[in-house]
Amino acid sequence: FPQYETRQEAGDGASDLFGDESGSTPSILIGSSFSGVKDFNFEGALAQHTGLEIANYAISAGMLFNAMISYVSSPQFETDMPPFLFWETPGNYDFSDSTSSQFRQIIPAIYGQCDGKREIAKGTFNVVNGKGGVLLDIPKEKHVEGSNYYVFLSSTNRGIANFMMQFDYDDGDGEWFKMDRAQHFNNTGRFFIELSDEIQSNLTRISIDGMQPLNTDLTIQLCRLPQTKETLTTKGTN
């Protein structure tokens, strides 16, 4: 089939559909194989018609969410947010079909690591040959309840891709959250998990288990989502 490419020409006056972004951080493209395969030139066509510099973070075979989760979980997104983020998704994917676990990773990743008043607790854990354990004990007087809170987990070994997070609550309720980034992910060793909005009791313990037989140091933060009146310390994205 025909193959296309897009390149900048001297004096090319592409219309600034999204305003003057010359010299700024590149805008980001995420998506599936349709934007990830170079022969399709989706990235080039987007740059041509918007007048923007485009950095392509699409993941072939990444389905609906893998590229999004990979990018917003990365340190690059937290320190250098793009002026625009384009998300290509095939029309046959259904956003309402069992997607809560993906959004529970995406939403807190937008806010990133926390500090100051938003940090509820912090700890470290040394993994030896994949053996899990308790990451944090949270006093009940902290009253950590519902999806206004999230966990940030970082690993010094990017090989950690499969594990289970266990959340225990003071009324005996609990949840297992399965994390699987073994295939078709750009794994930076950073993970975000929003607490369940279906459990209406106080979180008391966070544990980890089910890892590969490897060694790593883990850092965990328990964070509160920003309140309405609070603003992000980083610049916004469209």
Side-chain angles (χ1 to χ4, degrees), residues 130-133 162-166 176 207-212:
K131 185 177 181 180
N162 291 290
F163 56 88
M164 296 287 289
M165 294 284 286
Q166 180 177 348
W176 286 94
S207 307
I208 190 170
D209 204 356
M211 292 173 286
Q212 307 100 301

Side-chain angles (χ1 to χ4, degrees), residues 54-174:
I54 303 294
N56 193 345
Y57 285 82
I59 298 178
S60 294
M63 298 181 291
L64 180 57
F65 288 106
N66 290 15
M68 171 64 86
I69 293 174
S70 295
Y71 180 67
V72 298
S73 299
S74 70
Q76 178 184 351
F77 175 75
E78 188 168 313
T79 58
D80 199 9
M81 284 189 176
F84 296 97
L85 178 66
F86 297 95
W87 188 4
E88 170 269 314
T89 60
N92 60 298
Y93 286 139
D94 186 356
F95 275 87
S96 63
D97 183 20
S98 302
T99 59
S100 63
S101 63
Q102 286 87 354
F103 281 113
R104 285 178 62 185
Q105 297 176 66
I106 293 169
I107 292 172
I110 300 297
Y111 296 103
Q113 300 182 61
C114 63
D115 53 18
K117 294 181 179 180
R118 291 206 300 116
E119 184 181 274
I120 307 301
K122 185 176 182 179
T124 58
F125 185 81
N126 179 245
V127 177
V128 179
N129 198 31
K131 185 177 181 180
V134 176
L135 299 178
L136 279 180
D137 282 313
I138 301 97
K140 288 192 290 185
E141 56 266 24
K142 294 287 188 180
H143 300 295
V144 176
E145 174 187 332
S147 57
N148 287 326
Y149 299 89
Y150 65 94
V151 169
F152 167 66
L153 184 71
S154 64
S155 169
T156 56
N157 186 339
R158 295 189 181 187
I160 180 173
N162 291 290
F163 56 88
M164 296 287 289
M165 294 284 286
Q166 180 177 348
F167 300 96
D168 296 318
Y169 294 81
D170 63 357
D171 64 351
D173 205 346

